[in-house]
């Protein structure tokens, strides 16, 4: 499964390095993390990591394969 997670603000290089399994792109006012997610537990782990780093998730969606 491929997912996209939009986060409020521009994430620093240090913050994006906390998500080595995902690629990222900086857009106007937010950062988009995207890539393969193994299963539901991995997805919830990514969201927990966002929360623990104080990131505000704006949107999360599954991408077509």
């Amino acid at each position: 499964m491929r997912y996209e997670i939009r986060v409020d603000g521009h994430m620093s290089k240090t913050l994006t390095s906390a998500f080595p399994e995902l690629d990222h792109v900086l857009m106007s006012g937010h950062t988009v993390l995207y890539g393969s997610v193994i299963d539901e537990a991995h997805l919830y782990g990514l969201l927990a990591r966002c929360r623990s780093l104080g990131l505000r998730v704006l949107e999360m969606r599954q991408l077509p394969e």
Side-chain angles (χ1 to χ4, degrees):
M1 298 181 292
R2 292 181 44 78
Y3 273 85
E4 174 182 285
I5 301 171
R6 289 183 187 267
V7 176
D8 192 24
H10 288 176
M11 291 173 60
S12 68
K13 192 170 198 158
T14 303
L15 281 175
T16 56
S17 70
F19 300 89
E21 69 269 62
L22 299 177
D23 293 316
H24 70 281
V25 63
L26 301 177
M27 301 187 101
S28 178
H30 58 271
T31 303
V32 178
L33 301 167
Y34 61 94
S36 294
V37 174
I38 299 167
D39 56 18
E40 227 176 83
H42 184 203
L43 180 61
Y44 286 116
L46 291 170
L47 293 174
R49 207 178 313 165
C50 287
R51 185 182 63 230
S52 71
L53 293 169
L55 301 172
R56 182 171 166 240
V57 174
L58 300 173
E59 178 184 13
M60 176 192 71
R61 63 185 177 126
Q62 188 173 359
L63 300 173
E65 289 295 326

